[in-house]
Amino acid sequence: PLSHLIPGVGVVAARLAGIDDVLGMRLLVLVLSAVTVWLAYLLARDTLGSRLEGAVAATALLTFQGFVVLAAGGPRDKPIMVMLLTWSLLAVVRRQWASAGVLVALTTLTWQPAFPVGALVAAVGMASLGRRALVAPLVRFTVGGLVPTVLCVLGFWLAGALPTFIDAFLVIPLRYTVQTGLVEFLGTNGDALVEGYGPAVWAMLAGMVALAVAASRQLVRNLRGGRAGHEMVMMGAGLLAGLLVSMRGFNGWPDAFVLLPFASLGLAVIVHALRSALPRTGRVVGVGVVGISLAAGGMVSVTSSSEGLPLQRASVRAVLTTLGPDASVLSVEAPQVLVLSGRTSSTRYQMFAGGMSNYIDHHYPGGTDGYARWVEAEEPTVIAVHTNGDFEWLADILERDYVAVGTAPGWTWFVDRTVGNATLDQVRRAQERAQERARRNRR
């Protein structure tokens, strides 16, 4: 729920400031992403005991193309999740157990699969204290985690939406969601990971390997009686949990966000090891890495800019203005249309991929076929359909009763045939001209 509630705060702020809703949401997520960079610095500094290594970890995040893209190009849930997760790791390192519990709960309320990561890091941290000192931290962590969770559940209950919360937060992910794992994803769509993070994907891999090696070595020392370095073992446990989570569900490159705090920390570990072996050389290399990372991050931020939003805005404005204010809108996995137009869809059902159609089959009268009959009876003026979606249950209706009048980044427009050929042609030309103007303005 927080992945939607937090951007909603950006909408409220945007309307108070008199700016666009999407801009308000993006500005808020951008600020939270900047906070993530600061938290990555603190995490590496406190874990490794050096400000230089903290700077290496913080600037490393800026080289990860996917992090930069979603920081300014959302709003999406992953930037919010990674900020809260990094904060929770820092709280564990600092032994702030109540805060860690709160933050792990907030992370989970943003993206459920992140729970094992934060929980395992906290468990390893508490275990390092010994049995006698374990009880108080465990109580603080548990109570801290219960507070936001109970408040969230109470809020849904007061709103009369507790069954919806249970379905969305627990039942659908556990019973209906269909996912690919990391191994399968790399085997069938591995190029997408490189496209998502750019050349820095290899730096991410190097960082995770370095952290795993350092954590393993420290674990061996601790098992032999060593008393220092528990922080590194905690971070290694978090990396392991993140990889295990990814093995179960990895649907696209943004799912690797759960690994980003550990990848950036691992790169700082490499510089730390070099400084330990060759202090002067290591320091020069560390400063050089920070400078290169800042330059690379600036380049990524410029080259990864997308023209998608201006084209979407232009298309929505052209189509719905031409059809008029009385035109009804149905979104099929294209909620962007609703956000950009301020319109309300004819139904609350928006998503059908990833197992959601199975949920509808079990809960909607007649399943997806029954839903298709409802769409047919409702006769929305325009249907926005996700471009790459597979909606067999809707295909007959679209072919018989609607005409495709163009596309925008992410969806295809279908307009009811009954508006007449003249209006269909007018809509088609209007949205084509609007998008061409938007492209020229971008140049």
Side-chain angles (χ1 to χ4, degrees):
L2 292 187
S3 62
H4 304 284
L5 179 62
I6 291 176
V9 174
V11 172
V12 173
R15 293 178 180 178
L16 290 175
I19 61 176
D20 178 78
D21 287 356
V22 176
L23 180 59
M25 290 186 280
R26 287 189 165 187
L27 286 173
L28 177 58
V29 175
L30 182 63
V31 170
L32 296 179
S33 298
V35 171
T36 305
V37 176
W38 170 60
L39 291 169
Y41 164 79
L42 296 177
L43 178 63
R45 185 199 67 181
D46 287 12
T47 301
L48 300 172
S50 168
R51 288 180 292 178
L52 178 57
E53 276 84 321
V56 170
T59 55
L61 277 178
L62 302 177
T63 68
F64 301 157
Q65 178 176 296
F67 178 79
V68 175
V69 168
L70 293 193
R76 293 283 296 271
D77 55 346
K78 300 303 189 302
I80 302 170
M81 178 275 294
V82 78
M83 186 273 291
L84 292 168
L85 176 61
T86 307
W87 198 353
S88 72
L89 300 179
L90 179 62
V92 172
V93 168
R94 292 180 171 181
R95 306 296 196 267
Q96 298 170 342
W97 301 113
S99 298
V102 170
L103 290 163
V104 169
L106 293 176
T107 304
T108 307
L109 289 168
T110 305
W111 194 58
Q112 296 97 316
F115 172 74
V117 182
L120 184 58
V121 171
V124 172
M126 287 184 282
S128 68
L129 301 175
R131 291 184 180 180
R132 294 181 180 179
L134 178 62
V135 176
L138 181 59
V139 170
R140 293 191 186 100
F141 180 82
T142 303
V143 172
L146 285 174
V147 170
T149 305
V150 169
L151 289 176
C152 181
V153 172
L154 181 62
F156 276 92
W157 178 70
L158 291 174
L162 186 57
T164 300
F165 168 78
I166 294 173
D167 269 4
F169 190 70
L170 294 174
V171 176
I172 291 174
L174 294 175
R175 182 178 177 185
Y176 294 101
T177 300
V178 178
Q179 304 184 89
T180 58
L182 178 60
V183 174
E184 182 181 355
F185 180 85
L186 293 176
T188 59
N189 201 22
D191 291 344
L193 200 60
V194 178
E195 293 173 4
Y197 292 99
V201 70
W202 304 112
M204 291 169 54
L205 179 60
M208 288 187 285
V209 170
L211 179 60
V213 171
S216 299
R217 293 179 63 185
Q218 189 60 56
L219 178 61
V220 171
R221 294 192 194 101
N222 291 353
L223 292 174
R224 291 176 177 175
R227 296 184 178 181
H230 293 294
E231 292 81 7
M232 191 58 62
V233 178
M234 296 178 210
M235 296 303 110
L239 173 60
L240 176 61
L243 289 171
L244 292 176
V245 165
S246 299
M247 292 296 179
R248 185 182 183 277
F250 198 95
N251 304 301
W253 61 261
D255 285 353
F257 265 54
V258 73
L259 301 171
L260 295 190
F262 307 104
S264 62
L265 177 60
L267 292 172
V269 166
I270 295 174
V271 173
H272 183 74
L274 184 58
R275 287 188 66 197
S276 299
L278 302 168
R280 292 184 180 179
T281 302
R283 183 175 182 81
V284 171
V285 170
V287 172
V289 168
V290 170
I292 292 171
S293 295
L294 286 172
M299 186 177 298
V300 167
S301 67
V302 172
T303 58
S304 60
S305 178
S306 171
E307 65 177 7
L309 182 60
L311 295 180
Q312 289 175 337
R313 288 187 192 280
S315 183
V316 168
R317 189 181 303 113
V319 170
L320 297 184
T321 299
T322 303
L323 291 173
D326 295 330
S328 55
V329 180
L330 177 70
S331 162
V332 181
E333 288 199 13
Q336 302 96 320
V337 172
L338 308 177
V339 176
L340 295 174
S341 66
R343 301 288 187 97
T344 300
S345 182
S346 305
T347 174
R348 296 181 67 180
Y349 289 99
Q350 292 292 312
M351 310 307 293
F352 300 87
M356 286 301 298
S357 59
N358 296 331
Y359 176 81
I360 293 174
D361 282 337
H362 288 177
H363 291 80
Y364 193 90
T368 50
D369 291 337
Y371 182 73
R373 289 192 293 270
W374 177 87
V375 172
E376 184 177 20
E378 189 73 10
E379 295 182 342
T381 309
V382 58
I383 303 178
V385 181
H386 180 58
T387 304
N388 298 321
D390 183 12
F391 310 106
E392 293 183 1
W393 51 270
L394 190 62
D396 290 342
I397 296 173
L398 293 177
E399 184 176 354
R400 183 181 65 247
D401 300 332
Y402 289 82
V403 175
V405 296
T407 62
W411 69 85
T412 299
W413 293 105
F414 291 89
V415 176
D416 192 342
R417 292 180 183 272
T418 59
V419 303
N421 290 333
T423 300
L424 290 171
D425 290 339
Q426 187 179 2
V427 171
R428 187 180 291 111
R429 290 194 300 270
Q431 78 99 23
E432 288 175 352
R433 288 196 298 267
Q435 290 196 68
E436 182 57 34
R437 284 195 299 270
R439 290 191 183 94
R440 287 200 300 268
N441 292 336
R442 288 286 294 177
R443 299 192 192 102

